[in-house]
């Protein structure tokens, strides 16, 4: 398996929103006003409901939500989340990410928070950019390498997410730092298990190019030298890092299929889902 590159530590690389990327989106994703939910202090907070499956059913609204880091949610934002009935949060962020930007849920909400301690080794990532003259295409290839590892690297966390859904611990929100990479793969896995066509899955994934805005540094905040170096990268390289690309998600699914047993083995062994579990997920999440 390829070396894991901890790219999600870069959520604060740029002070300006990314330029729009001309990717197609599903009509449902664009037209449905409930897709993006403007929770105060949130970033890229979306309901994954409303998508049609290949057999004509539809993913239920108001059950599963995806988000970027939730450390800036305001009291008013938490009141909105309480109104949504959120009872569970699965935080995919690494130990360092959670320590530097802790999300503190109000005790009275009694939200169960699940996370996993793991480190993000920045050494190979820094070596990549320190070689100089890095191109956007090289950066996209590195991102694709991360995505090829992601289904396996985070399988334990994805498995727990599936089990929490099966156990009825919903409404549930899951997040990483930007809500686009680790969270994007998780969403793609869920929608695929439910029978949503791959094209629709990809188009939902690409909505992060519209809805994710990199964090603004606080006034007077001392900037980390590493982050300052990243700010000097060419705009197309920054876009490759901070945006999403269909080729990234393709790399994740290609890696799953390339292993003997393919998708069926991944669902059964890595996610720990039996045929009965898959049927139960569909019962819970489809209408």
């Amino acid at each position: 398996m390829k070396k894991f590159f901890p790219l999600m530590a870069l959520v604060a690389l740029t002070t300006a929103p990314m330029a729009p990327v001309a990717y197609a989106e599903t009509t449902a994703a664009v037209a449905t006003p409930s897709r993006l939910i403007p929770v105060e202090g949130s970033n890229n907070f979306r309901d994954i409901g409303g998508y049609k499956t290949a057999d004509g059913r539809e993913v239920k609204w108001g059950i599963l939500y995806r988000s970027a880091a939730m450390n800036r949610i305001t009291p008013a934002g938490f009141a909105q989340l309480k109104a949504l009935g959120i009872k569970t949060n699965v935080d995919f962020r690494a130990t360092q990410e959670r320590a530097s930007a802790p999300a503190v849920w109000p005790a009275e909400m009694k939200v169960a928070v699940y996370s996993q301690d793991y480190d993000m080794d920045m050494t190979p990532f820094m070596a990549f950019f320190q070689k100089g003259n890095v191109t956007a295409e090289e950066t996209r290839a590195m991102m694709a390498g991360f995505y090829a590892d992601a289904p396996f690297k985070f399988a334990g966390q994805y498995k727990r997410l599936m089990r929490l859904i099966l156990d009825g611990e919903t409404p549930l929100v899951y997040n990483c730092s930007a809500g686009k990479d680790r969270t994007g793969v998780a969403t793609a896995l869920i929608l695929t298990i439910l029978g949503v066509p791959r094209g629709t899955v990809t188009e939902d994934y690409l909505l992060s190019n519209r809805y994710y805005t990199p964090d603004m540094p606080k006034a007077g905040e001392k900037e980390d030298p590493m982050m300052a170096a990243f700010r000097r990268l060419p705009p197309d390289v920054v876009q490759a890092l901070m945006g999403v690309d269909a080729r990234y998600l393709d790399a994740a699914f290609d890696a799953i299929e390339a292993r003997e047993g393919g998708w069926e083995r991944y669902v059964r062994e890595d996610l720990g889902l039996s045929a009965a579990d898959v049927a139960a997920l569909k019962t819970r999440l489809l209408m």
Side-chain angles (χ1 to χ4, degrees), residues 4-52:
F4 168 56
F5 291 100
L7 303 176
M8 273 51 63
L10 300 177
V11 294
L13 290 188
T14 178
T15 60
M18 296 176 296
V21 179
Y23 289 121
E25 298 170 356
T26 58
T27 301
V30 174
T32 304
S34 298
R35 178 67 57 215
L36 180 73
I37 301 178
V39 173
E40 189 171 285
S42 70
N43 193 350
N44 204 11
F45 191 100
R46 288 143 59 186
D47 191 322
I48 73 166
Y51 291 117
K52 298 289 186 181

Side-chain angles (χ1 to χ4, degrees), residues 2 147-149 151-152 250-260 262:
K2 300 183 182 72
Y147 272 78
D149 284 348
F152 309 102
D250 287 345
F253 280 111
D254 288 348
I256 290 172
E257 293 293 351
R259 191 178 63 170
E260 184 178 357

Side-chain angles (χ1 to χ4, degrees), residues 47-68:
D47 191 322
I48 73 166
Y51 291 117
K52 298 289 186 181
T53 64
D55 62 3
R57 288 185 283 179
E58 182 176 313
V59 181
K60 294 177 183 177
W61 294 97
I63 304 296
L64 295 179
Y65 301 92
R66 53 178 293 174
S67 179

